[in-house]
């Protein structure tokens, strides 16, 4: 059974220290979840993820439905056995991908009809179908189907959208059959505080194991995203985990932990690694730059990941410039280690009652380093 325990609250900010328990293990919060879109965190193995300290990963319902299909995954005993991962898994509902990838879609109260981005085949996704797919995948945490509105978006449309999201959320809850699988509700409302409050109240009234804040980091400026997050967490129960979907940069994580968020996911560390952009304790580093050709320094002298302990910037640049697959793996190992270590350090700072100072120090270091390391 899913259970969340709030261990400690920061006395200067809204930061929280806690953990939740699932059938496949315990997860400490605040937590960052690496994204394994199609059942694989790109370029790294499950054993490498464990060595990095990953406690939970995310799978994508939309993509797994298209390939290989939930029935195939279910045939192999569920997603855990299929990908050889024995720790918790969260699956999203597929809603965000429908609204971000599908060019042609028709939204009704019943569900959404859209064309697959792979072959153009028509697909009809309902709340019940989303839960059925996630049930067959066997994830520890399932997400309700919601409508993610774009930014900017007309307020009148958002008013109708949050009502639809609430109706879909209730149907998702009614469709849930496995007691051991947790289900999170999603708060929408765009950048309108009154609609965020209305959505939060309606979703909390339905009652879920945890609550996500959706529809942010979709084009709005960071300050607005932080303000809406800060506002929304005030209307979410203290005894349930809070998940900010699709966010984000190291700075975003620090800022939003201080605003009461417990869970994060983002493709940023893995995608940027494959494009040669690496995160360090003093800013971002572009490994393909000519200035690193003869450098014998590691990516980050403060990092003890496998990549930094064994390889120079000069070698990593060489691998990346020559198109070697090893470059993508070593870069990804470093970036994931950076993110996972960051949330571990955040947890320690909350535990030691020095999170606010820790946050300010980290943000200042990132600001000084900028994008030119």
């Amino acid at each position: 059974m899913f259970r969340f325990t709030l261990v400690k609250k920061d006395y200067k900010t809204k930061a929280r220290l806690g953990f939740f328990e699932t059938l496949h293990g315990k997860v400490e919060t605040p937590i960052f979840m690496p994204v394994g879109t199609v059942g694989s965190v790109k370029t790294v193995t499950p054993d490498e993820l464990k060595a990095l300290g990953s406690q939970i990963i995310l799978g994508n319902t939309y993509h797994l439905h298209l390939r290989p299909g939930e029935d195939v995954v279910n045939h192999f005993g569920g997603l855990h056995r299929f990908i050889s991962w024995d720790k918790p898994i969260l699956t999203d509902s597929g809603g965000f991908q429908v609204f971000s990838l599908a060019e042609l879609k028709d939204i009704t109260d019943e569900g959404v009809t859209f064309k697959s981005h792979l072959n153009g085949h028509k697909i009809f996704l309902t709340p019940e179908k989303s839960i059925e797919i996630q049930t067959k995948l066997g994830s520890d945490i399932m997400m309700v189907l919601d409508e993610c509105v774009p930014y900017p978006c007309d307020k009148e449309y958002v008013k109708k959208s949050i009502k639809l999201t609430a109706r879909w959320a209730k149907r998702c809850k009614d469709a849930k059959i496995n007691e051991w699988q947790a289900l999170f509700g999603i708060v929408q409302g765009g950048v309108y505080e009154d609609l965020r409050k209305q959505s939060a109240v309606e979703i909390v009234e339905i009652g879920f194991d945890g609550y996500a804040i959706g529809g942010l980091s979709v084009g709005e400026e960071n300050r607005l995203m932080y303000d809406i997050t800060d506002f929304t967490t005030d209307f979410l129960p203290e005894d349930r985990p809070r998940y900010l979907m699709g966010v984000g940069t190291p700075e975003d994580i620090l800022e939003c932990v201080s605003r009461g968020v417990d869970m994060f996911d983002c493709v940023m560390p893995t995608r940027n690694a494959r494009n040669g952009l690496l995160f360090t304790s003093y800013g971002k580093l572009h490994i393909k730059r000519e200035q690193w050709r003869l450098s014998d320094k590691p990516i980050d002298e403060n990092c003890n990941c496998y990549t930094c302990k064994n390889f120079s910037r000069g070698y990593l640049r060489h691998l990346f410039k020559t198109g070697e697959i090893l470059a993508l793996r070593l870069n990804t190992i470093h970036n994931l280690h950076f993110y996972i270590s960051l949330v571990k350090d955040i947890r320690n700072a909350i535990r030691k009652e020095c999170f606010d100072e820790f946050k300010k120090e980290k943000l200042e270091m990132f600001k000084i380093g900028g994008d030119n390391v």
Side-chain angles (χ1 to χ4, degrees):
M1 295 295 182
F2 183 90
R3 183 174 62 183
F4 174 72
T5 301
L6 180 60
V7 174
K8 192 180 187 72
K9 293 170 64 177
D10 183 57
Y11 69 100
K12 285 187 177 179
T13 72
K14 292 164 68 176
R16 296 146 43 100
L17 181 70
F19 63 89
F20 58 81
E21 298 165 279
T22 76
L23 184 65
H24 290 93
K26 173 182 170 181
V27 175
E28 299 172 295
T29 60
I31 192 69
F32 175 79
M33 301 178 288
V35 177
T37 302
V38 294
S40 166
V41 178
K42 286 182 170 49
T43 79
V44 294
T45 68
D47 281 348
E48 287 169 332
L49 281 171
K50 290 177 186 177
L52 289 167
S54 180
Q55 300 179 50
I56 178 173
I57 62 173
L58 184 144
N60 187 276
T61 295
Y62 169 86
H63 289 286
L64 289 167
H65 172 62
L66 295 182
R67 294 184 301 191
E70 62 274 14
D71 289 326
V72 172
V73 175
N74 188 249
H75 167 80
F76 285 95
L79 195 55
H80 291 86
R81 290 186 181 178
F82 189 50
I83 69 175
S84 193
W85 175 257
D86 59 4
K87 290 179 178 289
I89 297 175
L90 180 149
T91 48
D92 60 14
S93 66
F96 179 78
Q97 283 69 36
V98 169
F99 300 113
S100 63
L101 294 178
E103 293 183 9
L104 300 174
K105 50 186 175 284
D106 180 29
I107 305 168
T108 66
D109 198 65
E110 183 60 24
V112 55
T113 303
F114 61 97
K115 290 185 178 181
S116 163
H117 75 287
L118 295 176
N119 53 25
H121 289 172
K122 188 174 289 188
I123 298 171
F124 182 48
L125 184 66
T126 65
E128 293 78 11
K129 182 64 177 178
S130 176
I131 295 300
E132 178 189 340
I133 296 169
Q134 293 180 81
T135 300
K136 289 182 177 180
L137 294 176
S139 54
D140 297 273
I141 300 174
M142 305 184 293
M143 303 301 299
V144 300
L145 183 66
D146 64 325
E147 181 184 11
C148 181
V149 297
Y151 174 82
C153 189
D154 178 72
K155 188 172 185 178
E156 289 304 311
Y157 184 90
V158 180
K159 280 184 182 179
K160 296 177 182 177
S161 177
I162 62 171
K163 287 293 185 183
L164 179 66
T165 286
R167 291 194 296 271
W168 282 2
K170 178 63 167 61
R171 286 166 56 188
C172 284
K173 184 176 180 178
D174 291 342
K176 179 177 177 291
I177 58 174
N178 290 331
E179 287 294 324
W180 64 270
Q181 285 184 292
L183 180 63
F184 280 22
I186 303 177
V187 175
Q188 289 286 348
V191 296
Y192 305 103
E193 287 189 349
D194 57 334
L195 299 186
R196 281 284 171 180
K197 178 181 178 180
Q198 181 182 337
S199 179
V201 169
E202 291 176 352
I203 296 298
V204 170
E205 186 177 339
I206 296 170
F208 293 97
D209 299 296
Y211 296 91
I213 301 172
L216 291 179
S217 195
V218 292
E220 77 282 0
E221 61 181 25
N222 282 357
R223 180 50 54 185
L224 183 55
M225 185 254 285
Y226 299 154
D227 289 345
I228 293 296
T229 298
D230 192 25
F231 178 83
T232 305
T233 54
D234 285 343
F235 300 97
L236 301 180
E238 283 200 342
D239 63 347
R240 296 290 189 273
R242 302 162 178 173
Y243 168 27
L244 182 56
M245 305 180 76
V247 177
T249 67
E251 294 90 339
D252 291 341
I253 292 175
L254 286 161
E255 291 285 5
C256 293
V257 163
S258 73
R259 288 162 170 81
V261 174
D262 307 305
M263 302 168 63
F264 301 87
D265 80 282
C266 191
V267 298
M268 192 165 287
T270 48
R271 179 176 291 168
N272 281 339
R274 298 193 305 275
N275 288 298
L277 192 152
L278 306 173
F279 295 94
T280 78
S281 56
Y282 39 82
K284 301 183 187 75
L285 185 149
H286 298 267
I287 198 62
K288 54 189 157 187
R289 287 182 175 168
E290 175 70 19
Q291 70 193 93
W292 310 130
R293 187 169 69 91
L294 300 178
S295 175
D296 61 358
K297 294 169 60 176
I299 298 168
D300 187 344
E301 292 168 332
N302 299 317
C303 179
N304 65 353
C305 77
Y306 173 77
T307 304
C308 286
K309 286 193 295 186
N310 291 280
F311 304 103
S312 67
R313 295 181 186 182
Y315 179 61
L316 294 170
R317 177 185 181 276
H318 158 69
L319 291 178
F320 190 83
K321 294 293 285 186
T322 53
E324 285 292 325
I325 294 173
L326 182 59
L328 311 186
R329 284 179 40 72
L330 293 177
N331 289 352
T332 300
I333 286 170
H334 169 79
N335 274 359
L336 285 176
H337 181 275
F338 179 87
Y339 267 68
I340 292 168
S341 296
L342 175 63
V343 290
K344 182 179 179 180
D345 290 343
I346 287 172
R347 293 195 297 269
N348 287 335
I350 299 171
R351 187 177 292 111
K352 296 176 182 178
E353 300 184 350
C354 61
F355 170 72
D356 196 42
E357 294 79 4
F358 172 84
K359 170 194 165 187
K360 290 174 181 175
E361 179 183 335
K362 285 289 184 182
L363 290 175
E364 185 61 28
M365 290 175 68
F366 294 153
K367 183 178 179 181
I368 292 171
D371 201 23
N372 295 297
V373 176

